[in-house]
């Protein structure tokens, strides 16, 4: 078990954020590997024996039988399972259901470091919470937005900016709660920079959505309808389609029909309205977003004191300078430089000043030429820092109450710093279990 936990901690950075940290944030009964590993010391042979003896005394089973079977075959299968388990029914109050964490509106940031000291890559995962998973209209809108985001996000960060091989935008959902748009990128460039570039994309993509013609939007809708009406290719696909509403307890077997009906009613204005309601950081009333970052050990990892003292854009620029050999530049003096440069807000002049102050005496002529070219990440980092300082008077709204009384700190632009995910989750409420769409009536009683 210990080795298994260690192997998972050594996964690729983007996998750790998407497959491990993301469920940890959003599901109540998911814990960190560190917490689980600590419990291994409490496990004894006797406790395992007691578990084996009592595990199936009372059970509650959900079974789906899919394929070339008669109804009587399915019933016989269920009865065989009951006979093999030979257990008493587990009462409803004893059944453990998955619960989704209701993240309160606000902008949060969580950072960690790779366990594998040899890894050169880090990653950034931006999660923005959208409409309800239980609403067919919200589901299809989020799916369409994720589809629209996918290619432009890859084109910007991967194709044009060459920030790494793993770049994607998609949607995520759990049993209940809110749909989520996620933006994941893995690179040797520092994760603060990746988050800044993702933020740039999010701020600019609305215009791309707005510029869709009627014909382009209709084609997009038709492609989604085609996906939902496509013939199932295997028994596994069929079983998955039916199992989803069974596993969640909603029993909404017509969900595809409802989603197709909603798609046919959608307009481009519906997408823009949803974008402004949930995703637009400037006007979304209940803006809810988590920036997750995992840093390689060899990067200049910002401590929480720096995170609450300096803007993310300055930390990003600081990391870019260090990765190019400018290790003598202090973050305090860099922040002072950016604040002064923001008064003129001229990127070229700022780069020239930066070159005069720091570059000439610390790097070779070849390195200097490389980092002062038009496509240099340092130039982009300087531009982002100037823009960030210009926006610094606007803090992201937080309707979460005063997290400051719960030992949470804020960055200069209003993001709440999450030190411990379990402690953060303990401050949140849980979504109620989904109400069944279909009233279940037993057909067989024995």
């Amino acid at each position: 078990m210990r080795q298994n936990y260690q192997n998972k901690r050594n996964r690729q950075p983007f996998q750790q954020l998407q497959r491990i940290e993301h469920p940890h944030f959003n599901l109540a009964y998911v814990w960190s590997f560190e917490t689980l590993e600590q419990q291994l010391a409490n496990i004894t042979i006797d406790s395992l024996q007691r578990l084996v003896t009592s595990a199936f005394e009372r059970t509650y089973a959900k079974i789906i039988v899919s394929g070339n079977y008669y109804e009587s075959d399915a019933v016989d299968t269920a009865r065989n399972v009951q006979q093999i388990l030979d257990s008493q029914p587990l009462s409803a109050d004893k059944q453990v259901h998955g619960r989704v964490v209701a993240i309160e509106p606000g902008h949060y940031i969580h950072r960690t470091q790779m366990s594998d000291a040899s890894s050169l890559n880090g990653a950034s995962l931006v999660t923005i919470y959208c409409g309800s998973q239980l609403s067919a209209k919200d589901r299809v809108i989020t799916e369409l937005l994720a589809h629209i985001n996918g290619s432009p996000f890859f084109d910007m960060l991967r194709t044009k900016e060459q920030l790494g091989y793993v770049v994607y935008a998609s949607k995520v959902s759990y049993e209940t709660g809110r749909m989520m748009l996620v933006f994941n990128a893995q690179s040797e460039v520092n994760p603060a920079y990746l988050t800044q570039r993702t933020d740039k994309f999010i701020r600019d993509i609305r215009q791309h959505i707005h510029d869709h013609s009627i014909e382009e939007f209709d084609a997009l809708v038709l492609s989604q309808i085609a996906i939902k009406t496509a013939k199932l290719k295997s028994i596994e696909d069929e079983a998955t389609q039916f199992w989803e509403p069974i596993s969640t307890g909603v029993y909404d077997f017509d969900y595809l029909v409802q989603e197709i009906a909603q798609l046919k009613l959608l307009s481009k204005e519906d997408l823009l309205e949803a974008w402004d309601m949930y995703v637009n950081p400037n006007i979304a009333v209940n803006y809810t977003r988590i920036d997750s970052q995992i840093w390689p050990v060899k990067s200049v990892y910002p401590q929480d004191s720096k995170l609450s003292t300096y803007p993310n854009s300055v930390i990003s620029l600081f990391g870019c300078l260090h990765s190019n050999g400018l290790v003598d530049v202090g973050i305090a003096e860099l922040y002072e430089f950016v604040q002064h440069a923001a008064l003129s807000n001229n990127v070229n002049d700022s780069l020239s000043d930066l070159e005069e102050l720091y570059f000439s005496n610390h790097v070779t002529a070849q390195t200097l030429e490389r980092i002062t070219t038009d496509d240099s990440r340092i130039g982009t980092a300087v531009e982002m820092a100037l823009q960030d300082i210009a926006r610094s008077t606007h803090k992201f709204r937080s309707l979460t109450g005063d997290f400051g009384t719960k030992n949470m700190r804020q960055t200069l632009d209003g993001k709440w710093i999450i030190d411990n995910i379990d402690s953060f989750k303990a401050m949140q409420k849980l979504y109620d279990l989904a109400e069944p769409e279909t009233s279940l009536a037993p057909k067989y009683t024995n």
Side-chain angles (χ1 to χ4, degrees):
M1 291 294 291
R2 293 184 191 278
Q3 186 60 51
N4 180 50
Y5 294 148
Q6 185 59 46
N7 291 342
K8 290 181 178 179
R9 283 196 290 263
N10 288 334
R11 285 182 176 179
Q12 289 291 313
F14 82 96
Q15 293 176 322
Q16 292 197 45
L17 292 183
Q18 181 75 67
R19 300 180 184 178
I20 298 175
E21 184 169 300
H22 201 273
H24 189 191
F25 260 117
N26 291 283
L27 297 176
Y29 305 126
V30 174
W31 295 273
S32 68
F33 294 131
E34 290 77 13
T35 300
L36 295 173
E37 192 169 354
Q38 290 171 6
Q39 298 303 313
L40 291 178
N42 300 322
I43 298 176
T44 64
I45 295 296
D46 289 340
S47 63
L48 286 175
Q49 187 59 55
R50 288 195 299 270
L51 176 63
V52 170
T53 302
S54 62
F56 297 104
E57 288 181 351
R58 293 183 177 275
T59 59
Y60 172 76
K62 290 183 178 181
I63 302 170
I64 183 171
V65 179
S66 182
N68 190 21
Y69 296 99
Y70 292 107
E71 181 177 341
S72 58
D73 296 327
V75 174
D76 288 341
T77 300
R79 286 173 175 164
N80 286 337
V81 170
Q82 286 180 315
Q83 291 175 0
I84 292 170
L85 292 175
D86 190 26
S87 60
Q88 296 296 314
L90 183 67
S91 60
D93 62 309
K94 300 295 184 183
Q95 297 170 21
V96 178
H97 299 275
R99 299 292 298 275
V100 180
V101 179
I103 305 294
E104 296 188 49
H107 193 161
Y108 309 92
I109 182 168
H110 176 260
R111 301 158 308 115
T112 187
Q113 279 186 297
M114 288 287 294
S115 297
D116 182 3
S118 65
S119 176
L120 299 177
N121 285 294
S124 163
L125 175 67
V126 172
T127 301
I128 298 179
Y129 292 76
C130 300
S132 171
Q133 161 68 10
L134 300 180
S135 164
K137 182 177 181 180
D138 287 348
R139 291 198 300 271
V140 297
I141 285 177
T142 307
E143 287 175 356
L144 280 171
L145 290 175
H147 182 77
I148 291 173
N149 290 335
S151 293
F153 185 64
F154 182 89
D155 183 56
M156 174 180 163
L157 269 70
R158 173 70 188 101
T159 306
K160 294 179 179 177
E161 301 188 13
Q162 296 290 300
L163 287 178
Y165 289 103
V166 181
V167 175
Y168 63 86
S170 62
K171 60 96 179 172
V172 175
S173 62
Y174 296 101
E175 291 86 350
T176 55
R178 297 169 65 178
M179 303 284 293
M180 290 159 271
L181 293 174
V182 296
F183 304 85
N184 203 339
Q186 175 176 300
S187 175
E188 293 185 12
V189 180
N190 73 80
Y193 184 93
L194 296 177
T195 302
Q196 288 289 111
R197 299 313 292 158
T198 301
D199 193 59
K200 166 71 172 172
F201 173 84
I202 291 169
R203 290 180 180 277
D204 292 348
I205 192 64
R206 187 191 188 282
Q207 188 63 45
H208 174 71
I209 300 172
H210 179 272
D211 291 343
H212 272 66
S213 67
I214 294 177
E215 293 76 17
E216 289 172 330
F217 180 79
D218 289 345
L220 181 65
V221 169
L222 288 175
S223 70
Q224 291 298 302
I225 292 176
I227 291 173
K228 295 180 183 297
T229 56
K231 185 178 180 180
L232 297 173
K233 297 180 180 179
S234 67
I235 293 176
E236 181 181 2
D237 290 341
E238 181 183 57
T240 300
Q241 181 174 304
F242 283 106
W243 182 249
E244 183 173 339
I246 294 174
S247 64
T248 60
V250 178
Y251 302 108
D252 181 13
F253 297 105
D254 294 328
Y255 71 94
L256 284 177
V257 175
Q258 296 172 13
E259 290 177 0
I260 292 169
Q262 289 295 330
L263 280 168
K264 293 178 179 178
L265 298 174
L266 279 186
S267 66
K268 182 176 69 176
E269 285 67 32
D270 291 322
L271 293 191
L272 292 172
E273 180 181 351
W275 188 268
D276 289 339
M277 182 179 296
Y278 301 116
V279 188
N280 191 327
N282 294 325
I283 62 176
V285 176
N286 292 322
Y287 191 65
T288 310
R289 167 174 163 173
I290 298 178
D291 296 342
S292 299
Q293 299 173 358
I294 185 165
W295 290 66
V297 174
K298 296 181 180 180
S299 291
V300 183
Y301 182 71
Q303 301 300 318
D304 284 348
S305 58
K306 288 186 173 64
L307 196 62
S308 57
T309 305
Y310 306 108
N312 190 64
S313 57
V314 174
I315 294 173
S316 165
L317 175 58
F318 183 66
C320 289
L321 293 175
H322 269 243
S323 65
N324 281 279
L326 294 161
V327 296
D328 294 330
V329 180
I331 192 169
E333 60 179 317
L334 182 63
Y335 182 35
E336 184 177 347
F337 168 83
V338 171
Q339 287 179 303
H340 178 75
L343 297 176
S344 62
N345 198 25
N346 186 299
V347 177
N348 291 329
D349 289 347
S350 298
L351 273 173
S352 298
D353 293 342
L354 198 63
E355 177 183 342
E356 182 178 345
L357 286 172
Y358 302 119
F359 296 172
S360 302
N361 298 327
H362 296 90
V363 298
T364 64
Q366 184 179 9
T367 301
L368 177 62
E369 181 180 359
R370 175 170 55 82
I371 64 181
T372 54
T373 58
D374 291 339
D375 61 349
S376 166
R377 291 187 183 121
I378 290 180
T380 302
V382 169
E383 180 181 9
M384 292 190 296
L386 297 182
Q387 293 173 348
D388 198 32
I389 295 298
R391 290 195 301 261
S392 62
T393 55
H394 168 72
K395 285 193 174 185
F396 290 98
R397 299 166 193 78
S398 177
L399 306 181
T400 55
D402 186 9
F403 273 142
T405 63
K406 300 176 181 178
N407 297 320
M408 288 185 69
R409 287 175 290 179
Q410 280 186 293
T411 64
L412 287 180
D413 52 359
K415 303 180 186 73
W416 289 104
I417 302 170
I418 299 173
D419 295 321
N420 182 283
I421 297 177
D422 290 326
S423 298
F424 174 73
K425 285 164 61 174
M427 303 177 194
Q428 311 297 317
K429 297 179 181 178
L430 301 179
Y431 284 106
D432 292 334
L433 295 176
E435 292 291 334
E437 291 284 333
T438 303
S439 298
L440 301 182
K443 185 173 182 180
Y444 302 94
T445 57
N446 53 51

